[in-house]
Amino acid sequence: ERAPHIALLLPVSGRLAAAAAQIRDGFFTAYYQSAAGARPRVRVYDTASLSVSDAIARAGDAGATVIVGPLLREEVAAAATWAGVRPPVLALNFLGAGETAPDRFYQFALSPENEAKSIADRLVSQGLVRGVALVPAGDWGARVLAAFTEALEADGGQLVGSASYFPAENDYSAPITEVLRLDASKARHRRLEQVLGTKLAFQPRRRGDAQFIFAPGQPQTTRQLRPQLRFHYAGDLPTYSTSDAYEPHATANQDIDGLIFPDMPWVFGVGARTIQVREALRAAWGEDGVVRGKLFAFGYDAYLLSLALSAAGTTDIDGLTGRLRFEADRRVRRQLEWARIVNGQPQLLDAAAAAAAGP
């Protein structure tokens, strides 16, 4: 049957079915919370059994007015290069560097690169314009560092040093020493002892031109890195990470006290929409219903954005994943909440508190 509808392209079968189900559940939660008389039709197309080209073609032939998806980066690239006539697309991932989005092609993602740019903006707004970075070796770390550096320099800041580490090694002394120039301090001490011919009391000094440390990483890695930074005389430097570093836990985050990071309102349980959705889930499913992750929030906001595209709207949206707006490049930018780990728990920072926050 041909009828106007929103086409939701997700791999609802196969190896990514569990992740797709979380996005789908969030999408339809938002759908059923909208006014019954105003709900558009929605049809789900399984990209685990259909190619992206076939899914887009079928959706278009069936009368889709907006396509939401696909999810995987390679699928998003295929959707961007699809040559047929199609409605507006809200891709659920970002195109890779150097890939061009066609007209009416929008991109929404829970991207660490997006968070890295937000961190750079925040640092410069607080007058912290020079710093160093410690990132995991590999493609993920390289992409996040590139996004952070680009945004920092565009804002007038400068990265004065960077180093990478291998998470599996657990001991990050070498890259920390390198980026903080502690080896240079030790070398000066040795030279002075040689000149004077006597042993001197000594405590290494880190470089003096760094005002912050940017240290994105995963939770387990961050729990090892943060104490090692303190051990190497950098505990007083404000240290920022992406939300990947934080994992809600009653006791596991004691070692990352002082870490500052952005995350979505859904994670922190703040904001009128977050509270309203959690109350609805609790009423329907009990406490188990409230325990929904970031992909659920992502799917919920994807529905809100699809309505904005259907109505050709570009206004800001208060979503579960942040305050959303379409940028000039048709990517969705998320304005996030900010927190600092205090006694192992995230403590939200308002603008005034953040400006005065220490490391």
Side-chain angles (χ1 to χ4, degrees), residues 36-86:
R39 292 175 194 154
R41 296 189 182 198
V42 176
R43 294 179 181 174
V44 180
Y45 296 79
D46 184 9
T47 53
S49 59
L50 288 172
S51 70
V52 169
S53 296
D54 285 344
I56 293 176
R58 291 190 186 190
D61 290 343
T65 55
V66 173
I67 293 175
V68 178
L71 178 62
L72 301 180
R73 181 164 286 197
E74 57 269 26
E75 293 177 338
V76 173
T81 57
W82 194 74
V85 177
R86 54 156 179 76

Side-chain angles (χ1 to χ4, degrees), residues 68-246:
V68 178
L71 178 62
L72 301 180
R73 181 164 286 197
E74 57 269 26
E75 293 177 338
V76 173
T81 57
W82 194 74
V85 177
R86 54 156 179 76
V89 171
L90 177 67
L92 298 180
N93 211 323
F94 286 156
L95 289 167
E99 295 178 312
T100 303
D103 290 339
R104 303 199 305 168
F105 193 92
Y106 301 83
Q107 301 167 66
F108 177 43
L110 302 183
S111 162
E113 293 99 318
N114 183 88
E115 294 184 15
K117 293 177 181 178
S118 296
I119 292 170
D121 293 344
R122 186 178 186 85
L123 285 165
V124 174
S125 72
Q126 294 178 2
L128 304 176
V129 295
R130 294 182 305 280
V132 297
L134 278 163
V135 300
D139 177 68
W140 186 91
R143 287 191 289 109
V144 174
L145 179 60
F148 176 78
T149 304
E150 180 183 3
L152 185 69
E153 292 177 351
D155 290 339
Q158 180 185 8
L159 199 63
V160 296
S162 66
S164 61
Y165 60 90
F166 293 95
E169 291 183 351
N170 299 325
D171 182 0
Y172 311 134
S173 298
I176 291 173
T177 297
E178 172 193 344
V179 78
L180 294 178
R181 291 185 176 172
L182 292 172
D183 49 355
S185 177
K186 293 175 182 178
R188 288 193 297 270
H189 170 246
R190 288 193 297 269
R191 288 196 301 269
L192 188 58
E193 285 188 330
Q194 290 170 358
V195 170
L196 298 177
T198 185
K199 291 290 184 181
L200 300 173
F202 172 70
Q203 179 173 303
R205 284 188 175 184
R206 66 163 194 265
R207 65 190 307 156
D209 57 348
Q211 298 172 300
F212 65 82
I213 299 173
F214 175 58
Q218 301 305 309
Q220 184 174 354
T221 303
T222 304
R223 290 175 197 143
Q224 297 178 71
L225 179 63
R226 177 70 177 154
Q228 292 184 45
L229 286 170
R230 285 195 289 266
F231 178 80
H232 287 91
Y233 314 102
D236 61 328
L237 277 179
T239 302
Y240 284 72
S241 184
T242 59
S243 65
D244 304 274
Y246 172 68

